[in-house]
């Protein structure tokens, strides 16, 4: 599986000006090698050249860990003394193409630290973005990846079921978030959650990316809960909105509008479907209910090893939806100082339909 990914990437490289791709510690490195490294003050860089021969630059003391790689790697280990690191970068460059290399970087993971080391190793290196190539590769999920995401959905849904009984008048958002995190871990999530759960109540729910605070829940509050689990590196990202006690008439109308927008987008046939069509399907429902100005974000985003990746389900995005993509559908309406509603599901594109992986009930639940 990892070997296939390397081969696919090197085929993309053959068609490109980039000589080699340098990938920092993080999700793409794990995706291509099976090695899990965090960004730290010491560089760990996976290098892939044309012809698919990969190498890795890493700290000497991680040699045992590097042996766990799922692909064959030429090792370039450096000692603790930072003064000697550039020399190892130079050796690695020479192993590939020599010093006049065009290096492809991942814009969201590249750092000054590694760029400077490459520049110290050679004054003839230039850098380009390799984002498109990596996104293209990671966007289409294989069967194992789909299975992991299904599992991450299951874990997340189970964790919320267990958390709902504590949601009552007087409890704080923060306390609900803590309980949800504990339940996610107990239900089997990896310890590294994809993101801090959002628990946004009452007027706070009008902020799509609210951080759980010390507000105590009141009767009539709408509560937006956006949470996810991670398993074998893969994540889920779900949102449900609940109401406490009794629902106000306008908020109920908003809820039903968002629910219909979510359903409409999820039931689009996949044939000739572009990202922007999906976004428009949800947006038109919200526009025609008169809330267009209050749907302030895109309709969804891809999920996988990261909580936000391609394809982005957004206006003007011409990416064609194809078999193997997994992304969120998450329309929302946010009325400042009143409250908000978002319903977020995870869908898998088969050849003909969008299959919804999330099954948590979407009817307005009064807690
Ligand atoms: Co979310
Ligand atoms: Co999301």
């Amino acid at each position: 599986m990892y070997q296939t990914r390397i081969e696919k990437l090197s085929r993309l490289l053959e068609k490109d000006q980039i000589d080699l791709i340098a990938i920092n510690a993080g999700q793409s490195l794990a995706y291509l090698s099976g090695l899990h490294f965090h960004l730290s003050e010491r560089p760990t860089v996976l290098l892939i050249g044309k012809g698919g021969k990969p190498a890795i630059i890493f700290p000497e003391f991680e040699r045992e860990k590097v042996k766990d790689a799922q692909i064959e790697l030429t090792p370039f280990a450096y000692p603790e003394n930072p003064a000697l690191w550039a020399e190892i970068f130079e050796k690695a460059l020479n192993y590939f193409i020599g010093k006049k290399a065009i290096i492809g970087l991942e814009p969201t993971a590249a750092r000054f630290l590694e760029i400077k080391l490459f520049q110290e190793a050679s004054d003839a290196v230039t850098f380009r973005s390799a984002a498109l190539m990596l996104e293209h590769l990671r966007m289409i999920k294989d069967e194992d990846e789909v299975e992991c995401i299904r599992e991450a959905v299951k874990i997340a849904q189970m964790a919320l079921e267990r958390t709902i009984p504590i949601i009552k008048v007087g409890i704080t958002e923060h306390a609900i978030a803590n309980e949800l995190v504990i339940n996610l871990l107990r239900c089997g999530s990896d310890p590294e959650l994809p993101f801090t759960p959002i628990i946004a109540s009452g007027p706070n729910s009008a902020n799509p990316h609210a951080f759980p605070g010390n507000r105590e829940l009141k009767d009539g509050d709408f509560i937006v809960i956006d949470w996810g689990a991670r398993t074998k590196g893969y994540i889920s990202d779900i949102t449900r909105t609940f109401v406490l006690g009794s629902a106000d008439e306008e908020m109920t109308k908003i809820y039903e509008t968002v629910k219909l927008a979510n359903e409409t987008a999820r039931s689009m046939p996949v044939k000739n479907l572009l990202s922007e069509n999906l976004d428009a399907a949800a947006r038109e429902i919200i526009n025609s209910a008169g809330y267009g100005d209050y749907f302030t974000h895109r309709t969804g985003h891809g999920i996988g090893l990261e909580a936000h990746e391609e394809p982005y389900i957004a206006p003007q995005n011409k990416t064609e939806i194809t078999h193997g993509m997994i992304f969120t559908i998450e329309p929302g309406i946010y009325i400042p100082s009143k409250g908000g509603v978002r319903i977020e599901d995870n869908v898998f594109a088969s050849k003909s339909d969008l299959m919804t992986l999330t099954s948590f009930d979407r009817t307005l639940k009064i807690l």
Side-chain angles (χ1 to χ4, degrees):
M1 174 175 86
Y2 292 96
Q3 192 52 40
T4 319
R5 292 173 182 172
I6 297 284
E7 281 160 19
K8 275 190 194 157
L9 185 58
S10 81
R11 273 202 295 279
L12 293 172
L13 262 180
E14 295 290 349
K15 286 185 260 168
D16 206 283
Q17 281 183 301
I18 294 172
D19 296 312
L20 75 150
I21 295 190
I23 295 167
N24 267 356
Q27 300 302 350
S28 288
L29 190 144
Y31 178 82
L32 292 162
S33 69
L35 288 172
H36 295 270
F37 278 98
H38 279 115
L39 275 181
S40 81
E41 73 282 14
R42 298 184 184 91
T44 301
V45 188
L46 176 69
L47 298 165
I48 297 149
K50 292 188 203 280
K53 49 175 183 179
I56 188 164
I57 301 173
F58 62 99
E60 175 66 51
F61 72 91
E62 300 277 31
R63 202 175 272 280
E64 282 308 306
K65 189 171 168 183
V66 167
K67 282 184 188 157
D68 292 338
Q70 302 295 308
I71 49 167
E72 212 179 299
L73 287 170
T74 305
F76 291 94
Y78 59 78
E80 278 290 74
N81 181 358
L84 304 171
W85 295 358
E87 216 176 283
I88 301 298
F89 274 68
E90 188 181 343
K91 281 188 183 147
L93 279 181
N94 287 333
Y95 168 78
F96 285 97
I97 185 172
K99 293 188 169 185
K100 220 178 153 206
I102 302 174
I103 302 176
L105 300 174
E106 201 175 8
T108 50
R111 297 186 299 183
F112 184 68
L113 174 67
E114 289 82 8
I115 290 176
K116 191 161 164 283
L117 283 162
F118 277 121
Q119 285 171 334
E120 282 171 22
S122 160
D123 51 18
V125 286
T126 46
F127 299 97
R128 296 269 164 82
S129 168
L132 273 179
M133 255 184 262
L134 291 164
E135 283 160 5
H136 189 90
L137 203 61
R138 279 175 50 178
M139 191 157 70
I140 306 297
K141 268 71 184 179
D142 63 32
E143 273 176 37
D144 287 343
E145 294 180 287
V146 178
E147 222 20 73
C148 289
I149 294 172
R150 275 185 197 281
E151 186 60 28
V153 165
K154 224 185 274 175
I155 292 168
Q157 295 189 153
M158 210 192 306
L160 187 65
E161 284 291 358
R162 290 199 193 176
T163 307
I164 283 178
I166 71 154
I167 304 178
K168 293 197 167 74
V169 170
I171 192 168
T172 65
E173 296 169 348
H174 195 267
I176 300 169
N178 285 355
E179 186 71 15
L180 181 53
V181 166
I182 291 168
N183 285 329
L184 282 163
L185 301 178
R186 289 215 171 107
C187 291
S189 174
D190 290 355
E192 190 176 342
L193 294 176
F195 52 88
T196 306
I198 294 170
I199 313 285
S201 64
N204 293 348
S205 62
N207 172 5
H209 274 163
F211 203 76
N214 284 320
R215 184 180 181 279
E216 291 176 2
L217 267 55
K218 292 196 185 83
D219 188 70
D221 276 354
F222 271 66
I223 308 145
V224 171
I225 301 187
D226 186 341
W227 82 113
R230 185 190 291 276
T231 182
K232 293 183 193 147
Y234 287 85
I235 71 112
S236 54
D237 175 10
I238 317 171
T239 306
R240 288 294 182 266
T241 303
F242 302 96
V243 62
L244 200 57
S246 53
D248 138 335
E249 203 178 310
E250 194 189 7
M251 288 301 288
T252 306
K253 183 186 167 205
I254 287 171
Y255 188 94
E256 294 307 324
T257 305
V258 170
K259 182 165 166 265
L260 181 63
N262 167 297
E263 279 162 6
T264 306
R266 283 188 298 111
S267 48
M268 295 285 280
V270 166
K271 198 162 183 265
N272 301 327
L273 182 65
L274 306 182
S275 286
E276 64 174 4
N277 305 140
L278 263 175
D279 183 84
R283 207 166 291 279
E284 273 162 22
I285 301 284
I286 292 176
N287 285 346
S288 61
Y291 292 105
D293 290 344
Y294 303 99
F295 177 19
T296 47
H297 54 74
R298 62 193 172 207
T299 295
H301 54 84
I303 57 170
L305 288 166
E306 274 165 295
H308 288 159
E309 50 182 67
E310 291 283 346
Y312 292 102
I313 311 302
Q316 274 100 47
N317 186 340
K318 313 274 182 211
T319 305
E320 197 178 338
I321 301 301
T322 49
H323 181 213
M325 289 179 177
I326 299 188
F327 48 86
T328 70
I329 295 291
E330 52 177 306
I333 297 175
Y334 312 91
I335 312 289
S337 71
K338 186 171 172 72
V341 173
R342 177 165 66 255
I343 302 175
E344 176 177 29
D345 285 288
N346 300 163
V347 303
F348 166 76
S350 76
K351 289 196 175 90
S352 54
D353 302 292
L354 296 177
M355 292 162 58
T356 303
L357 306 176
T358 29
S359 57
F360 204 100
D361 192 20
R362 294 173 202 87
T363 45
L364 180 57
K365 191 176 168 81
I366 300 177
L367 302 177

